[in-house]
Amino acid sequence: MYDKIVKKIEEYDDIAIYRHINPDFDAFGSQFGMYDLIKTTYPDKNVYVCGEFSSELVAKYDVLVDYRDVNYSKDVLGIVLDTANQERIDDQNYKLCKEIIKIDHHIVVDSYGQINFEDSTASSASQLVVDLYQNTKLQISKAGAGALYLGIIGDTARFLYRSTDKRTFKAASALIETGIDIVSLYDRMYLKKAKDLNVNKFILNNYHVDGNIAYYILTNEDLKMLEISRERGSDYVNMLSGIEEYYIWMAITENTADQNWRVSLRSRKYPVNKVAEKYNGGGHLLASGAKLQNIEQLDDLLRDLKELINE
Ligand code: AMP
């Protein structure tokens, strides 16, 4: 698999790198990390990163990216990171690529690439990119290694989740060998602003409980009042984690632009992805995302989650 990917990269002069919409640390980390691997090894190739880059997370990465529009009049190889299904690829122009390599760690629902490097037991897409680095001649810069480290840390919550295994530590170790400063990387990820305390206060004062399910709702008005973007609405979901009585916890954020409500579902034990799939979503067994068409649908979602708990 690794050699197949490198061979394909070598065949193309133009390579576009994609990841999912609503990007998180792993989506950006694997995208910027992959960009860096290719640019460091083959400086003359035209490498593009695709999607929306307005997120405040972008500033946390050091990879020097040349943001240019893809020249699809040439033969372009697309590499899609961290994205289970085609609808969630950020920048649907990926369809103009001649061939696609998919690199992902979600539960497999759609193997849309000509080459599919899929491993749902891997902690993160960034870990898979490090595997590629470790098993081939591809080179990486310190900035690229930092991006991949942020991706692994983001998706494992600092090596906390069950998806963390010896491969994850091996990947982290390979990145540390490049000389990255992990404390400054942690500062970037976890140093908060005073306004975050207001969000914490709001959530603790207003979260809801239904049986063994806890959740908070952020309306558009709440987001404005708390001065946070809608993309960051689910960042606080784990404030409700680690409570014995709550088996499932969720963040629900209004999206007035798309006229829906984004849901982030988490559990220690219950496969919430099954329910998420019913609501235009999916993801991992214990961490999934979904969308409600309107807030009234929340009653249905809660009913389905209670059924899951009682099964
Ligand atoms: P989130 O709650 O947005 O942090 O997402 C948790 C996990 O589920 C991530 O791995 C996402 O990539 C995935 N995910 C989120 N929303 C969706 C969706 N609508 N469809 C499929 N997967 C999703």
Side-chain angles (χ1 to χ4, degrees), residues 22-23 28 52 54-58 195-196 199 203 216 218-236 251-257 262:
N22 278 328
F28 280 131
E52 179 57 52
S54 59
S55 160
E56 57 251 53
L57 293 188
V58 173
K195 71 174 183 187
D196 282 306
V199 186
I203 291 172
Y216 66 79
L218 294 176
T219 64
N220 198 45
E221 257 176 46
D222 297 331
L223 294 171
K224 278 195 201 144
M225 185 259 298
L226 295 166
E227 296 175 37
I228 53 168
S229 68
R230 117 175 89 76
E231 288 79 14
R232 305 268 62 84
S234 27
D235 282 7
Y236 307 83
I252 301 168
T253 311
E254 185 172 17
N255 180 343
T256 44
R262 177 178 163 206

Side-chain angles (χ1 to χ4, degrees), residues 142-180:
K142 214 158 132 177
L148 293 169
Y149 195 79
L150 290 182
I152 292 175
I153 293 303
D155 256 29
T156 61
R158 293 179 256 189
F159 307 114
L160 191 70
Y161 297 151
R162 198 174 291 283
S163 58
T164 304
D165 59 20
K166 63 182 179 187
R167 295 171 302 170
T168 319
F169 286 110
K170 217 174 135 218
S173 160
L175 296 175
I176 287 171
E177 269 177 33
T178 67
I180 55 171

Side-chain angles (χ1 to χ4, degrees), residues 55-81:
S55 160
E56 57 251 53
L57 293 188
V58 173
K60 301 188 187 288
Y61 296 84
D62 288 332
V63 178
L64 283 176
V65 174
D66 183 6
Y67 293 96
R68 286 177 299 155
D69 289 339
V70 184
N71 179 0
Y72 289 108
S73 65
K74 294 169 69 186
D75 284 348
V76 178
L77 170 68
I79 303 182
V80 186
L81 283 310

Side-chain angles (χ1 to χ4, degrees), residues 20 85 88 106 262 264 266 280-284 287-291:
H20 64 76
N85 45 337
R88 284 187 29 94
H106 291 93
R262 177 178 163 206
S264 283
R266 304 287 187 266
N280 224 328
H284 308 284
S288 285
K291 285 181 205 135

